[in-house]
């Protein structure tokens, strides 16, 4: 493995603190991932990407910057990457998924803030993540109160552009989001010095749609009765999708899909037949948050779909590729993005419909509604979500967790009992 210390030093990182992270991450990855049997060979690519997580991709981003290119860091699936790529810049997801970064965030944020926000702020302020150092500009959004205030704190340290996301889905809101994307486009043009043309935007729309198509294809194999790949592996791929080079990611994911297709033909499964099928719904699982998948898949069940931003919300629905003027393309982008159903919207009936549809498509036996501690939006929406799931006759378990391992044993007990119950007559 090349030595990236010089690069990290040049980025102004706190090397001593970062060393601690470098020590624990490979161990956690080994325990969670490399202990699995019969993984598809094409997972080697994603293993490599994770093993070099703070090396290979950051080095590519720096190369891009040396050639005069800009890097934008994003935190939400409503922010349209297409605009960034259309201006010859690179977008990279920045959401923090490790407890390692939480104390850094707690230095400036109330403890009662969700761990995703605390970890994201901590990763920047503690200087322990190269992606957070590299990004020339952060793009925030007005999704939840915690994030809104966090942008103000981050803006003291790095340029931040905040997109004003409407919280309803009336036609005027969709028009407002198209307008907000237009403002973003102007900002990106000004910051990069590059003009976005209808042609470059059309190319970027295709680029990101191709990534969505690859992910949709990947997920389709989880609808099979025999599961050719674990939920844990799919989660890892979904997380990598946020920061890998989109062209390479799409091609490697399609390569993996070819292998999975063969596995399905040959009836190769990574789980014993009859394994209970679980859907996760709720708040996102940012890298390296693998806790729940690991507990579920070592408790006799398989995760077959995630109605999450690290899941179906990221790739379902394509942007219309037939539009030829910038204004039409902005409308097409707004339409696609406003089709995502995050709990920050009211009403948000679309999410319940999605959950029930996915439950059928992926033949799930039970649903776990996951809430990141202190996420008031998803916690409150959980009432209606869980009621609808119960009414549909699907067993549901609501859990709240954070990034620590303190509740791991308790979760294991609850999830184990839930999985066991799925096998009893009670839910038959
Ligand atoms: S579209 S889920 S990525 S906002 S978990 S920070 S909501 S307090 S991450 Fe999210 Fe966009 Fe919605 Fe998806 Fe706030 Fe809740 Fe924390 Fe959240």
């Amino acid at each position: 493995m090349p030595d990236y210390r010089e690069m990290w030093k040049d980025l102004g990182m706190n090397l001593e603190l970062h060393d601690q992270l470098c020590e624990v991450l490979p161990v956690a990855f080994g325990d969670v991932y490399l202990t699995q049997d019969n993984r598809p060979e094409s997972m080697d690519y994603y293993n490599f990407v994770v093993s070099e997580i703070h090396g290979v991709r950051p080095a590519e981003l720096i190369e891009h910057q040396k050639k005069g290119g800009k890097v934008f860091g994003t935190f939400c699936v409503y922010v349209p990457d297409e605009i960034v790529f259309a201006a010859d810049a690179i977008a990279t997801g920045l959401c923090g998924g490790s407890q390692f970064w939480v104390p850094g965030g707690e230095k400036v944020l109330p403890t009662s803030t969700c761990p995703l926000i605390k970890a994201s702020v901590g990763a920047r302020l503690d200087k322990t993540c190269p992606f957070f150092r590299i990004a020339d500009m952060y793009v925030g959004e007005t999704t939840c109160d915690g994030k809104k205030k966090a942008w103000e704190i981050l803006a003291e340290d790095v340029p931040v552009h905040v997109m004003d996301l409407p919280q309803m889905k009336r036609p005027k809101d969709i028009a407002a989001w198209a307008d907000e994307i237009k403002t973003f486009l102007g900002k990106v043009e000004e910051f990069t010095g590059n003009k976005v043309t209808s042609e470059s935007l059309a190319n970027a729309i295709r680029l990101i749609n191709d990534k969505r198509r690859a992910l949709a294809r990947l997920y389709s194999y989880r609808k099979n009765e025999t599961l050719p790949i674990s939920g844990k592996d799919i989660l890892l791929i979904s997380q990598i999708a946020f920061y890998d080079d989109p062209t390479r990611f799409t091609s490697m994911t399609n390569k993996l899909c070819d292998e999975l297709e063969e596995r399905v033909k040959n009836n190769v499964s990574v789980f014993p037949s009859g394994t209970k099928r679980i859907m996760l719904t709720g708040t996102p699982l940012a890298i390296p948050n693998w806790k729940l998948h690991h507990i579920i898949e070592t408790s006799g069940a398989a995760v077959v779909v995630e109605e999450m931003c690290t899941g179906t919300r990221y790739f379902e629905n394509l942007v219309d590729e037939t539009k030829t003027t910038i204004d039409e393309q902005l409308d097409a982008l707004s339409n696609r993005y406003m089709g995502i159903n995050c709990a920050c919207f009211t009403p948000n009936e679309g999410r319940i419909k999605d959950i029930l549809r996915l439950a059928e498509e992926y033949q799930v036996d039970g649903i776990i509604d996951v809430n990141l501690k202190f996420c008031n939006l998803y916690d409150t929406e959980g009432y209606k979500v869980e009621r609808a799931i119960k009414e549909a006759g699907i067993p549901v378990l609501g859990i709240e967790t954070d990034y620590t391992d303190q509740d791991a044993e308790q979760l294991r007990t609850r999830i184990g009992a839930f999985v066991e119950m799925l096998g009893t007559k009670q839910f038959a």
Side-chain angles (χ1 to χ4, degrees):
M1 191 198 292
D3 187 359
Y4 295 109
R5 288 186 80 78
E6 271 310 302
M7 179 178 87
W8 294 332
K9 208 161 111 200
D10 291 346
L11 288 171
M13 288 175 60
N14 179 337
L15 294 185
E16 233 170 83
L17 201 54
H18 184 245
D19 281 348
Q20 294 174 20
L21 182 60
C22 293
E23 264 170 44
V24 293
L25 203 59
V27 179
F29 183 74
D31 288 350
V32 173
Y33 278 94
L34 305 179
T35 47
Q36 297 180 99
D37 285 333
N38 197 16
R39 295 173 80 207
E41 267 175 35
S42 312
M43 282 309 296
D44 282 354
Y45 171 69
Y46 307 95
N47 291 344
F48 167 74
V49 172
V50 173
S51 70
E52 299 257 330
I53 191 163
H54 282 182
V56 166
R57 186 62 178 150
E60 287 177 356
L61 298 178
I62 292 168
E63 266 317 296
H64 171 74
Q65 286 173 322
K66 280 188 189 151
K67 289 188 226 134
K70 296 286 185 207
V71 176
F72 290 78
T74 63
F75 299 84
C76 177
V77 299
Y78 281 94
V79 172
D81 285 354
E82 289 88 342
I83 300 294
V84 174
F85 284 98
D88 263 336
I90 296 177
T92 187
L94 286 185
C95 289
S98 167
Q99 177 61 24
F100 183 80
W101 292 308
V102 168
E106 285 178 340
K107 286 182 202 154
V108 294
L109 294 165
T111 317
S112 56
T113 305
C114 99
L116 191 148
I117 300 176
K118 287 192 286 197
S120 302
V121 170
R124 170 76 199 185
L125 300 186
D126 276 353
K127 305 183 170 70
T128 45
C129 174
F131 290 95
F132 279 81
R133 303 301 303 162
I134 290 168
D136 298 290
M137 177 178 273
Y138 290 6
V139 189
E141 13 60 45
T142 54
T143 42
C144 68
D145 290 352
K147 274 184 167 179
K148 277 191 276 196
K149 293 294 118 183
W151 309 139
E152 294 172 22
I153 295 170
L154 287 170
E156 293 181 346
D157 199 42
V158 58
V160 178
H161 173 77
V162 180
M163 298 185 75
D164 186 7
L165 183 72
Q167 317 261 284
M168 295 179 81
K169 291 187 177 174
R170 300 158 301 182
K172 68 174 179 180
D173 299 311
I174 295 170
W177 188 235
D179 196 50
E180 195 61 19
I181 299 175
K182 193 174 194 164
T183 306
F184 179 48
L185 186 151
K187 185 80 195 178
V188 170
E189 283 187 333
E190 183 195 307
F191 197 70
T192 58
N194 298 332
K195 185 102 193 105
V196 172
T197 63
S198 55
E199 210 190 339
S200 71
L201 190 49
N203 288 338
I205 288 173
R206 263 195 304 277
L207 175 77
I208 306 299
N209 271 349
D210 283 345
K211 174 158 86 168
R212 293 189 182 109
R213 287 186 192 100
L215 283 165
R217 183 177 170 211
L218 178 66
Y219 268 59
S220 73
Y221 300 111
R222 308 171 85 186
K223 296 178 184 173
N224 283 288
E225 215 173 297
T226 46
L227 293 165
I229 184 166
S230 68
K232 261 196 266 192
D233 278 337
I234 302 264
L235 173 67
L236 183 69
I237 298 167
S238 302
Q239 293 170 333
I240 289 173
F242 282 81
Y243 68 89
D244 198 8
D245 172 73
T247 307
R248 180 178 55 213
F249 176 85
T250 300
S251 111
M252 297 313 287
T253 302
N254 276 319
K255 183 173 161 246
L256 167 65
C257 287
D258 293 341
E259 187 182 343
L260 298 184
E261 207 160 294
E262 276 305 302
R263 283 187 159 214
V264 168
K265 263 192 223 148
N266 299 323
N267 246 337
V268 177
S269 177
V270 291
F271 294 103
S273 87
T275 298
K276 293 296 165 196
R277 303 166 68 94
I278 304 286
M279 178 201 295
L280 292 188
T281 181
T283 46
L285 303 172
I287 199 163
N289 183 3
W290 306 309
K291 180 163 115 179
L292 279 174
H293 280 63
H294 183 56
I295 292 176
I296 294 166
E297 297 199 334
T298 49
S299 298
V303 180
V304 293
V305 61
E306 300 83 6
E307 190 281 318
M308 294 177 153
C309 290
T310 41
T312 54
R313 278 185 232 140
Y314 186 57
F315 65 79
E316 281 201 326
N317 303 322
L318 300 175
V319 178
D320 186 345
E321 294 179 3
T322 63
K323 304 298 174 196
T324 50
T325 67
I326 296 258
D327 280 340
E328 286 174 345
Q329 288 167 323
L330 293 178
D331 284 341
L333 284 165
S334 181
N335 271 311
R336 187 268 157 192
Y337 281 94
M338 288 291 275
I340 303 169
N341 296 312
C342 173
C344 60
F345 281 84
T346 183
N348 193 32
E349 297 302 323
R351 178 162 167 237
I352 292 177
K353 280 192 197 141
D354 286 343
I355 293 169
L356 299 181
R357 169 179 56 83
L358 293 168
E360 211 173 300
E361 284 177 17
Y362 291 81
Q363 307 166 56
V364 311
D365 296 299
I367 299 179
I368 300 183
D369 180 22
V370 184
N371 196 58
L372 271 181
K373 213 167 172 184
F374 303 120
C375 178
N376 197 38
L377 284 170
Y378 279 85
D379 199 11
T380 310
E381 192 162 278
Y383 168 71
K384 288 188 76 181
V385 165
E386 289 177 28
R387 187 180 63 190
I389 294 171
K390 277 183 205 145
E391 278 170 9
I394 305 166
V396 58
L397 173 71
I399 58 171
E400 184 166 77
T401 184
D402 57 15
Y403 290 173
T404 66
D405 271 330
Q406 280 161 9
D407 60 354
E409 276 319 302
Q410 193 205 5
L411 285 174
R412 192 171 278 288
T413 309
R414 290 186 64 204
I415 289 169
F418 181 65
V419 172
E420 210 166 292
M421 269 200 297
L422 294 178
T424 67
K425 283 254 168 4
Q426 200 175 342
F427 290 117

